[in-house]
Amino acid sequence: MMNVDVFFELFLKELQEMPAMWHYYKFLNNKSSFEFRKAYFVQRLQYVANQITDRNSTIWDCGCGYGTTALFLAMNGFRVYGTTLEFYFDEIEKRKNYWKQYGDVSLFEVDYANVFDQKISDNSFDYIILQDTLHHIEPLQDALRIFNNVLKQNGKIIVNEVNGNNIMENLKFFKQRGNKRVITIWDERLQKNILFGNENVRSFSTWKQEFVKAGFSCPDEPEYIRFYFPFTYHGRSADKMIAKEDKLRNKKWIREYLFFGINFTIKK
C-alpha cells in the first residue's frame, strides 16, 4: 500500500525531472504557496482513495489529465482506464517510466479520446472519476447519460470540482471569459471541433439537479475544501491548515460561498 503522503513525496521528486508539468503543478515554482497547494492536492486525492477500496473494481478516470490520480491508484494495485485530451497525453508514458520503480504501471491504461466518440459497453465500470472534468464536458446531459449507461448497477461517480458558488472564483472566471461558458475548440489530434466548457463551474445544488435529471440517485453531501488564502499558510503546515478549516465547515454560508473546492459522490 502507498498512502497519499508517500505518493506526494515521490510525486515531488518526479516533478523535478518533469518541467513540462510545472505550469499545471506549481509546487516547485513558489515556496511560499507550497503548503497551500499541497493541502488541496492531498485532500482531493485522499477523497478518491477513501471511496475506492475493492481492488477488483473497474475504474474509468475520465479526463485524467497527466494521469496523477490513475498512477496513485495503480501504485495501490487498482486497474484504471484513463482518457484525456490535449497536451497531457504526451507526458503519460514518460511518467510511467518514473513510476514503474514503485509499482505496476501496466495497471494504468490510457487513450486519447473524447467521451462522445468512445464505444464503451454498458455496465462496464464500478467507478468513474471526474477530477476537474465536469466543468469542461459539453453537452453535459449527453455525457451524463453515457456515464449512466457504462456504470454498473450501484456504480459510483467520484467528483472533484471547483465550488461554483465561490464568490472570488466567480469574479475571476467572469473577468477571464465573461459569460462565454461554452466554446468550440479545434483538436489537432482528433482533427475535429469539439465543444468545451470554458471553466463552466457550477454549485453543488446545480450539479445535483443535473445528475438527478440524468437518472442518478441524489448525490451525497459534498466535502468542502480550501478556505484560506495562500498568505495565511505562512509558517503553517498543510495538515494544520486543514484541521483549522474543519472548524468552519459547520457554518453554512462560509461553506457554500467561501470554500474553493467540493468533492462528492453519486450512485447509479
Side-chain angles (χ1 to χ4, degrees), residues 18 80-81 85 88 99-100 198 213 223 232 253 267:
M18 294 283 287
V80 186
Y81 172 61
L85 295 172
Y88 306 105
W99 285 101
K100 67 183 181 183
N198 187 18
K213 181 180 176 182
E223 174 187 73
T232 62
W253 191 89
K267 182 186 288 186

Side-chain angles (χ1 to χ4, degrees), residues 47-48 51-52 59-60 62 125-131 133-134 137 140 143-152 154-161 204 211 214-220 263-268:
Y47 183 84
V48 173
Q51 309 310 309
I52 307 175
I59 305 166
W60 177 15
C62 180
F125 295 104
D126 296 296
Y127 294 96
I128 298 173
I129 300 170
L130 299 170
Q131 190 171 65
T133 298
L134 266 179
I137 298 178
L140 177 63
L144 295 186
R145 280 190 286 272
I146 292 171
F147 296 149
N148 205 337
N149 289 338
V150 303
L151 270 178
K152 298 178 183 179
N154 297 318
K156 295 182 179 181
I157 296 181
I158 303 167
V159 178
N160 303 129
E161 266 291 341
F204 172 71
F211 276 102
F216 288 89
S217 300
C218 190
D220 294 341
N263 302 322
F264 60 94
T265 302
I266 312 100
K267 182 186 288 186
K268 177 175 176 179

Side-chain angles (χ1 to χ4, degrees), residues 4-200:
V4 170
D5 290 332
V6 171
F7 179 83
F8 181 73
E9 292 304 316
L10 295 173
F11 170 64
L12 290 179
K13 293 179 181 177
E14 179 197 19
L15 274 183
Q16 294 173 3
E17 304 172 12
M18 294 283 287
M21 297 197 299
W22 291 1
H23 72 286
Y24 187 84
Y25 294 113
K26 300 178 181 178
F27 294 106
L28 306 182
N29 301 6
N30 189 340
K31 290 183 179 180
S32 65
S33 64
F34 175 82
E35 294 294 333
F36 167 77
R37 297 186 185 282
K38 176 184 176 181
Y40 193 58
F41 180 96
V42 299
Q43 284 181 96
R44 285 153 60 95
L45 194 57
Q46 188 64 59
Y47 183 84
V48 173
N50 290 345
Q51 309 310 309
I52 307 175
T53 56
D54 184 356
R55 281 177 178 73
N56 294 316
S57 298
T58 49
I59 305 166
W60 177 15
D61 190 349
C62 180
C64 68
Y66 287 117
T68 300
T69 298
L71 285 165
F72 167 73
L73 291 170
M75 294 303 100
N76 283 284
F78 294 95
R79 185 171 296 279
V80 186
Y81 172 61
T83 52
T84 191
L85 295 172
E86 301 182 288
F87 47 83
Y88 306 105
F89 185 78
D90 295 330
E91 304 302 321
I92 291 176
E93 284 305 315
K94 301 173 192 175
R95 300 199 69 190
K96 285 186 174 184
N97 284 333
Y98 172 83
W99 285 101
K100 67 183 181 183
Q101 62 189 309
Y102 302 110
D104 185 358
V105 294
S106 71
L107 293 173
F108 173 32
E109 298 179 3
V110 61
D111 284 329
Y112 190 100
N114 180 5
V115 62
F116 300 107
D117 298 334
Q118 293 182 266
K119 306 298 181 185
I120 298 176
S121 300
D122 291 353
N123 305 306
S124 293
F125 295 104
D126 296 296
Y127 294 96
I128 298 173
I129 300 170
L130 299 170
Q131 190 171 65
D132 287 330
T133 298
L134 266 179
H135 66 262
H136 289 314
I137 298 178
E138 294 293 339
L140 177 63
Q141 277 297 317
D142 291 350
L144 295 186
R145 280 190 286 272
I146 292 171
F147 296 149
N148 205 337
N149 289 338
V150 303
L151 270 178
K152 298 178 183 179
Q153 192 60 39
N154 297 318
K156 295 182 179 181
I157 296 181
I158 303 167
V159 178
N160 303 129
E161 266 291 341
V162 174
N163 176 15
N165 270 345
N166 181 276
I167 295 170
M168 296 300 293
E169 286 303 300
N170 273 320
L171 290 172
K172 183 184 81 172
F173 288 144
F174 184 79
K175 183 178 179 181
Q176 288 175 352
R177 50 128 165 93
N179 281 321
K180 198 171 185 180
R181 301 174 75 95
V182 179
I183 58 176
T184 300
I185 64 171
W186 173 257
D187 189 289
E188 189 67 33
R189 196 183 298 254
L190 296 177
Q191 287 293 294
K192 63 186 290 186
N193 284 319
I194 59 174
L195 284 180
F196 190 77
N198 187 18
E199 304 302 333
N200 193 10

